[in-house]
Amino acid sequence: MTVLVNLIVTLGMLYVVPAGLRLIDPVGLRTAARLWPVPASLGALCLWLPRGVPATALAALYAAATLALAARAPARLSAARRGKGVCGNPGGAPPRTAAPGPAEIAVCTALVSPSIAGTALVAERAGYRLFGFDLDILALTVPHFHFAGFTAALVAGLVCRAGATATATATAPATAPATAPGTAALSRWAAYSVPGGTLLVLLGYFVDDWAELAGAVVLTTGMWAVALLTWRDIRPGARDRTTGALLGTSAAVLVATMLLALWWAAGEATGIIHPTLTWMAATHGLGNALGFALCSVLAWRRLTADRPPTDVDRMETTP
């Protein structure tokens, strides 16, 4: 299991995170995305070293980079409070409240999630049972918050952004993409429930298995909403077959992988037969890393290539 988990984490560190940063804000996060492979390489290297001082030192350098990334979230939220949440006020309508919109909340969740993974990585490489957790749990926390944390929240925010864009262009039916009724509401639910479910799962680590199950239910419904919106509304607008196939794959994989997550969480809470952690890493973990995260990031990069950003796309970038 260790080799598989390390390969999954390496993919998240070296490609998914920097590519995701470019999708969040290609201007404001350009430098961070360009420099990210440096600390990510150190973080990936520490995975393959024995536990000890060298591995811990490399992990700490990567964790420092993740904390610097997380520090950007408060500034984005502050900027959002001075402006408007894109999914909350599509079409440029005046904001009703000063609260950040769901897309911005999802994006800030993505920015903070790697810091949780980085902290767990330092403890695991040091052989220290942080908060009393077994080292295996800490090791699995690292991919979880790179993919269920960073990538899932990122894609939920992108889907919400796309829903807001479609709503904003609804007055131009000749050029606007066709969207089904309830798309805006469903995209807002996805952007709220994915961060909310991720937080509940994290809290479940400290409370009990039933709390973790509740988080898994919220996260799963949010990810299934992302899958539905991707398949129904975003995939048909793909400009080529490759992009459409990547979007379709990411949506289909989510249905299966999140069902596995529900099964595992229910088994932990109720005692019913459920997959082992090794089996979950080989199915749920690998499926989410390759089928969902990698395919989603590749598809969204193709969707946004050579397209000038709109006001909705900027999602209240930091000043």
Side-chain angles (χ1 to χ4, degrees), residues 3 5 8 33 36 61 64 67-68 87 92 99-100 102 127-128 143 146 149 182 184 188 192 212 233 253 263 318:
V3 172
V5 171
I8 291 173
W36 191 262
L61 292 173
L67 291 171
C87 288
Y128 175 67
H146 276 95
R188 287 195 296 271
Y192 279 132
E212 192 170 351
D233 298 331
V253 165
W263 182 14
T318 53

Side-chain angles (χ1 to χ4, degrees), residues 109-164:
T109 301
L111 292 176
V112 170
S113 291
S115 65
I116 301 174
T119 302
L121 179 64
V122 173
E124 190 275 333
R125 293 287 77 197
Y128 175 67
R129 296 190 175 190
L130 185 65
F131 301 119
F133 291 118
D134 291 339
L135 297 182
D136 286 344
I137 297 298
L138 292 174
L140 292 173
T141 300
V142 179
H144 182 81
F145 279 93
H146 276 95
F147 294 101
F150 178 83
T151 314
L154 165 66
V155 175
L158 293 173
V159 167
C160 185
R161 174 194 295 180

Side-chain angles (χ1 to χ4, degrees), residues 16 29 106 118 158 173 207 210 212 222 243 249:
V16 173
L29 294 174
L158 293 173
V207 181
W210 286 99
E212 192 170 351
T243 304
T249 299

Side-chain angles (χ1 to χ4, degrees), residues 151-236:
T151 314
L154 165 66
V155 175
L158 293 173
V159 167
C160 185
R161 174 194 295 180
T165 302
T167 303
T169 57
T171 56
T175 58
T179 56
T183 292
L186 188 60
S187 66
R188 287 195 296 271
W189 164 253
Y192 279 132
S193 59
V194 171
T198 302
L199 177 60
L200 286 173
V201 170
L202 178 61
L203 292 176
Y205 288 0
F206 300 94
V207 181
D208 58 25
D209 291 334
W210 286 99
E212 192 170 351
L213 174 59
V217 170
V218 174
L219 180 59
T220 297
T221 58
M223 294 308 296
W224 281 349
V226 168
L228 175 60
L229 291 165
T230 299
W231 181 272
R232 185 188 68 184
D233 298 331
I234 298 171
R235 181 183 57 87

Side-chain angles (χ1 to χ4, degrees), residues 255-283:
V255 176
T257 57
M258 295 312 297
L259 190 60
L260 286 169
L262 275 181
W263 182 14
W264 185 85
E268 288 289 297
T270 65
I272 64 172
I273 296 176
H274 60 287
T276 63
L277 285 177
T278 300
W279 201 82
M280 285 293 290
T283 54

